[in-house]
């Protein structure tokens, strides 16, 4: 019994180790994750997540490149303690127009260099960036990255994932864009629609009729209850009178018997 239990324990440990190793391999890539929603045509704050994949080296530099086919007018990195950040801008072949202004330059690359800090083995670091306006003619942005270690090794996260195909060895970070919300383009949005529906339900003719019907039912019930109470009181009154008469008659008869 103990031998079988030991075998089960060992098998479970091996399976758990395999799962941990596989999960580490699958998720230990440089990736980009939005804080909330990244909608087409809007602005978003995203985190560039950089894990350290080496046991004997630390990450000291990250370069993130933006697609030339979908230039962004605004790219603002948030300061990260222990890291120096450089923003590279390039002239656009075709100016962008946003908020009624023409933009002739766009950010093509952001570089973070270790300045008193590193990403050590078994660690990761997030680098927040504000992006906008996001393009409206695509549902994703492929952001290529280079990761440099302190032993001079450079890992190129530049392979674009393809739908239906196996994940490449060094996939590029992909920012998925959701469909533009109504309020992004002057609509009401879900909250406003819910508020409008609430108002409509409260003031619609059907709602008024329902209130009137409920009031009529309540009034009828009250009247019926009052009528029933009055009837019961009358019945009790009549019963009391009859009992009184019966008592008087009984007293008279008793007096006659005594006289006789």
């Amino acid at each position: 019994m103990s031998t079988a239990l030991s075998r089960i324990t060992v098998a479970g440990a091996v399976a758990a180790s395999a799962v941990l190793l596989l999960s580490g391999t699958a998720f230990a890539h440089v990736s980009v994750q939005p804080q909330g929603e990244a909608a087409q045509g809007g602005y978003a704050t995203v985190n560039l997540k950089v894990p350290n994949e080496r046991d004997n080296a630390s990450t000291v530099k990250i370069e993130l490149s933006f697609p030339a086919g979908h230039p962004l007018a605004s790219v603002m990195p948030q300061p990260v303690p222990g890291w120096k950040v450089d923003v590279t801008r390039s002239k656009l072949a075709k100016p962008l127009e946003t908020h009624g202004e023409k933009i002739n330059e766009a950010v093509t690359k952001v570089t973070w260099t270790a300045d008193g800090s590193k990403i050590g083995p078994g660690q990761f670091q997030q680098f927040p960036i504000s992006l906008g306006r996001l393009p409206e003619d695509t549902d994703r942005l492929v952001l290529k990255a280079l990761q440099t270690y302190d032993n001079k090794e450079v890992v190129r996260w530049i392979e674009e994932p393809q739908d239906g195909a196996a994940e490449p060895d060094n996939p590029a970070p992909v920012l998925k864009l959701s469909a533009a919300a109504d309020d992004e383009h002057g609509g009401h949005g879900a909250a406003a629609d819910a508020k409008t529906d609430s108002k409509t339900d409260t003031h619609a003719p059907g709602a008024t009729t329902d209130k009137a019907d409920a009031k009529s039912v309540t009034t009828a019930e009250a009247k019926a209850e009052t009528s029933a109470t009055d009837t019961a009181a009358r019945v009790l009154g009549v019963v009391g009178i009859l009992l009184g008469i019966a008592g008087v008659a009984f007293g008279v008869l008793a007096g006659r018997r005594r006289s006789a």
Side-chain angles (χ1 to χ4, degrees):
M1 185 73 178
S2 59
T3 303
L5 182 60
S6 299
R7 290 178 180 175
I8 294 174
T9 304
V10 172
V14 172
S17 300
V19 170
L20 289 175
L21 288 173
L22 290 174
S23 63
T25 303
F27 295 100
H29 300 329
V30 173
S31 60
V32 61
Q33 302 167 344
Q35 296 181 14
E37 187 178 20
Q40 296 172 331
Y43 291 81
T45 298
V46 303
N47 288 326
L48 177 66
K49 185 177 181 180
V50 183
N52 193 90
E53 292 191 319
R54 300 295 179 262
D55 295 330
N56 57 354
S58 297
T59 300
V60 294
K61 186 178 181 180
I62 291 291
E63 301 171 72
L64 183 66
S65 298
F66 296 88
H70 298 287
L72 301 176
S74 175
V75 176
M76 295 186 293
Q78 179 177 320
V80 177
W83 294 83
K84 182 179 68 174
V85 60
D86 294 314
V87 178
T88 302
R89 297 179 177 273
S90 301
K91 190 172 182 179
L92 296 174
K94 182 180 180 181
L96 290 175
E97 186 170 345
T98 177
H99 298 298
E101 297 182 0
K102 287 188 177 182
I103 308 297
N104 296 314
E105 290 184 344
V107 174
T108 53
K109 185 170 67 173
V110 177
T111 304
W112 291 269
T113 306
D115 186 21
S117 181
K118 295 181 180 180
I119 306 175
Q123 299 178 346
F124 76 94
Q125 178 65 53
Q126 293 192 117
F127 300 91
I129 325 167
S130 175
L131 306 176
R133 282 187 170 236
L134 298 173
E136 299 181 1
D137 57 350
T138 183
D139 60 357
R140 66 179 184 173
L141 284 179
V142 180
L143 311 174
K144 298 181 179 182
L146 301 181
Q147 182 177 11
T148 302
Y149 290 89
D150 54 8
N151 62 358
K152 309 302 181 182
E153 179 187 5
V154 178
V155 180
R156 302 169 62 85
W157 303 100
I158 61 173
E159 299 178 54
E160 184 172 350
Q162 302 296 328
D163 294 335
E167 184 182 58
D169 293 334
N170 296 311
V174 177
L175 176 62
K176 295 183 179 180
L177 306 180
S178 60
D182 291 338
D183 53 359
E184 295 280 357
H185 300 282
H188 295 292
D193 290 342
K195 188 175 181 181
T196 301
D197 292 341
S198 177
K199 289 183 177 180
T200 302
D201 292 342
T202 304
H203 300 288
T208 304
T209 303
D210 293 340
K211 285 186 176 181
D213 293 342
K215 186 175 181 181
S216 299
V217 171
T218 303
T219 303
E221 290 176 350
K223 288 182 178 179
E225 185 176 355
T226 302
S227 178
T229 303
D230 292 343
T231 302
R234 290 173 183 174
V235 171
L236 290 174
V238 171
V239 171
I241 293 171
L242 292 176
L243 289 175
I245 294 173
V248 171
F250 179 79
V252 172
L253 291 175
R256 289 181 179 178
R257 287 178 182 177
R258 287 176 183 176
S259 299

